[in-house]
């Protein structure tokens, strides 16, 4: 009987751990001006890891897009969480993110996907440039972990990463992965971007949903052009709806107005393909960057080429 009880509780423990997502929180500093070294702007970014999959997204984006609603703790905790998130949302309402997109990875296969959304249309591409790390023998302690130094040339910047084998996850912030341990500190040679791991927490019941079947599949080279085409298409559709609305009112028809419906839920996931595995998701996100902020981000993008 005791053996059966021990087996039962062990099974419960394994099930609980298996269903959890590990969130690595990074304090992220960004220089918004590519020409002048101004005061660094700071925001938190998250690397959520579940089994062999990960999601990189900023805290500001999660709050603005109400993505925290995808987590479903027990009812009592849920009420408390919603109240706390409401406060955070009010405080961060005017804050803008330098990461108005999200990145998913298949850690085992080292596949990286970059996702955005234009109005209600998902668009993504698979990164086609593997990061070539040069691992050194330098060992230092960073952010509480014994870490080893590695460097790489990626996106027009020279990056220095410190990774720890104490956390045997071959991943890190943004598109960076492929080292024999988690990246706990990352910065570029220009001092424009810095990621520092500050804590690790467990998230229960992280929501999962595949990428919409009508998502636009692009390439890294064609991505900006495809974004522009989707924006033009959306503007044309809105114009057509607006004209139809005015015509309907003049003719006594059914009133319309703007985009119809609430739009499809936006998933974050491994794009459909030969892998056949899904990706941890968070629904109801408006993943398109505000036009006013796009111009600011473009002054100092994380990738220069």
């Amino acid at each position: 009987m005791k053996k059966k009880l021990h087996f039962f509780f062990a099974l419960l423990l394994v099930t609980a751990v298996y269903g959890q997502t590990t969130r690595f929180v990074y304090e992220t500093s960004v220089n918004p001006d590519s020409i002048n070294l101004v005061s660094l702007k700071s925001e938190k970014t998250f690397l959520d890891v579940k089994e062999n999959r990960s999601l990189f997204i900023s805290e500001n984006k999660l709050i603005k897009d109400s993505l925290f609603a995808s987590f479903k703790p027990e009812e009592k905790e849920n009420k408390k969480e919603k109240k706390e998130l409401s406060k955070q949302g009010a405080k961060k309402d005017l804050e803008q993110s330098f990461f108005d997109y999200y990145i998913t990875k298949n850690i085992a296969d080292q596949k990286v996907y970059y996702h955005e959304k234009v109005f209600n249309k998902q668009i993504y591409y698979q990164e086609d440039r593997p990061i070539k790390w040069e691992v050194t023998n330098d060992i230092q302690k960073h952010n509480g972990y014994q870490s080893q130094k590695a460097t790489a040339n990626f996106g027009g910047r020279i990056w220095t990463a410190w990774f720890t084998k104490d956390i045997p996850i071959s991943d890190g912030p943004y598109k960076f992965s492929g080292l024999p341990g988690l990246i706990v500190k990352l910065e570029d040679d220009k001092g424009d971007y810095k990621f520092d791991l500050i804590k690790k927490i467990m998230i229960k019941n992280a929501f999962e949903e595949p990428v919409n079947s009508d998502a636009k599949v692009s390439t890294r080279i064609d991505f900006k052009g495809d974004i522009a085409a989707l924006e033009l298409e959306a503007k044309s559709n809105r114009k057509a709806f607006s004209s139809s609305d005015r015509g309907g009112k003049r003719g006594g028809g059914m009133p319309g107005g703007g985009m119809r419906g609430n739009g499809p839920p936006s998933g974050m996931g491994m794009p459909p393909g030969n892998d056949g595995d899904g990706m941890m998701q968070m629904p109801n996100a408006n993943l398109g960057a505000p036009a006013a902020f796009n111009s600011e981000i473009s002054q100092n993008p994380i990738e220069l080429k």
Side-chain angles (χ1 to χ4, degrees):
M1 183 67 181
K2 286 184 178 180
K3 287 183 179 180
K4 287 184 178 180
L5 283 174
H6 288 159
F7 174 77
F8 176 72
F9 286 119
L11 183 62
L12 282 179
L13 179 61
V14 170
T15 303
V17 172
Y18 183 80
Q20 288 184 330
T21 296
T22 305
R23 168 167 292 174
F24 298 98
V25 182
Y26 291 84
E27 188 67 41
T28 305
S29 302
V30 180
N31 172 26
D33 194 323
S34 60
I35 300 174
N36 303 303
L37 183 59
V38 298
S39 298
L40 294 176
K41 304 294 183 180
S42 180
E43 67 176 300
K44 288 183 175 63
T45 54
F46 300 150
L47 180 67
D48 288 357
V49 178
K50 184 176 182 181
E51 299 169 42
N52 68 334
R53 303 158 293 168
S54 72
L55 164 71
F56 171 81
I57 195 167
S58 75
E59 179 189 40
N60 289 345
K61 183 163 185 54
L62 277 171
I63 291 175
K64 286 181 181 179
D65 297 336
S66 301
L67 292 180
F68 280 123
S70 62
F71 299 118
K72 299 175 182 177
E74 292 185 10
E75 190 62 28
K76 185 181 290 187
E77 295 176 347
N78 198 31
K79 289 179 181 178
K80 183 179 179 181
E81 182 182 20
K82 284 183 178 178
K83 186 176 180 181
E84 184 61 29
L85 289 172
S86 177
K87 291 179 182 178
Q88 292 180 37
K91 290 178 183 177
K92 293 179 177 291
D93 187 49
L94 298 178
E95 292 188 24
Q96 297 167 317
S97 176
F98 282 89
F99 306 91
D100 206 32
Y101 48 80
Y102 63 93
I103 291 167
T104 59
K105 303 189 190 93
N106 181 315
I107 301 172
D109 295 336
Q110 290 296 297
K111 292 182 179 179
V112 180
Y113 300 88
Y114 179 101
H115 306 252
E116 283 195 31
K117 192 173 184 184
V118 179
F119 296 96
N120 66 337
K121 181 74 172 181
Q122 295 177 357
I123 178 171
Y124 68 89
Y125 69 86
Q126 182 178 345
E127 176 57 55
D128 58 355
R129 301 163 297 173
I131 298 176
K132 299 177 181 178
W133 293 104
E134 291 186 15
V135 179
T136 73
N137 293 322
D138 294 351
I139 303 292
Q140 292 183 15
K141 197 165 187 178
H142 285 283
N143 305 325
Y145 294 94
Q146 194 75 1
S147 308
Q148 191 169 350
K149 181 181 177 181
T151 60
N153 188 331
F154 182 78
R157 298 177 186 270
I158 305 296
W159 294 90
T160 298
W162 292 90
F163 66 94
T164 180
K165 293 180 180 178
D166 294 342
I167 305 177
I169 299 173
S170 182
D171 206 350
Y174 191 61
K175 296 179 179 179
F176 295 95
S177 62
L179 289 166
L182 184 75
I183 296 173
V184 298
K185 186 178 181 66
L186 177 72
E187 58 186 324
D188 74 300
D189 57 328
K190 303 178 188 301
D192 290 339
Y193 284 86
K194 298 179 181 179
F195 300 85
D196 283 286
L197 180 66
I198 56 174
K199 64 180 175 180
K200 166 187 171 184
I201 57 178
M202 302 304 294
I203 303 294
K204 292 182 179 178
N205 302 319
F207 194 88
E208 298 195 17
E209 184 181 3
V211 170
N212 290 343
S213 59
D214 66 343
K216 170 70 177 175
V217 183
S218 184
T219 65
R220 179 178 59 86
I221 301 298
D222 297 334
F223 195 71
K224 288 183 179 179
D226 287 341
I227 286 280
L230 288 176
E231 289 175 346
L232 184 61
E233 180 184 351
K235 287 176 183 177
S236 297
N237 289 340
R238 284 202 297 180
K239 202 171 185 179
F241 275 126
S242 180
S243 298
S244 175
D245 181 33
R246 287 195 296 271
K249 287 180 179 178
R250 285 197 298 269
M254 183 178 292
M259 301 296 289
R260 299 179 183 178
N262 295 322
S266 61
M268 300 181 185
M270 188 65 64
N274 296 329
D275 292 332
D277 57 344
M279 194 63 179
M280 75 183 84
Q281 311 301 322
M282 297 179 181
N284 305 322
N286 178 8
L287 296 171
F293 193 47
N294 276 342
S295 59
E296 181 180 342
I297 289 180
S298 65
Q299 292 178 18
N300 195 9
I302 192 168
E303 292 183 37
L304 301 176
K305 62 180 182 179

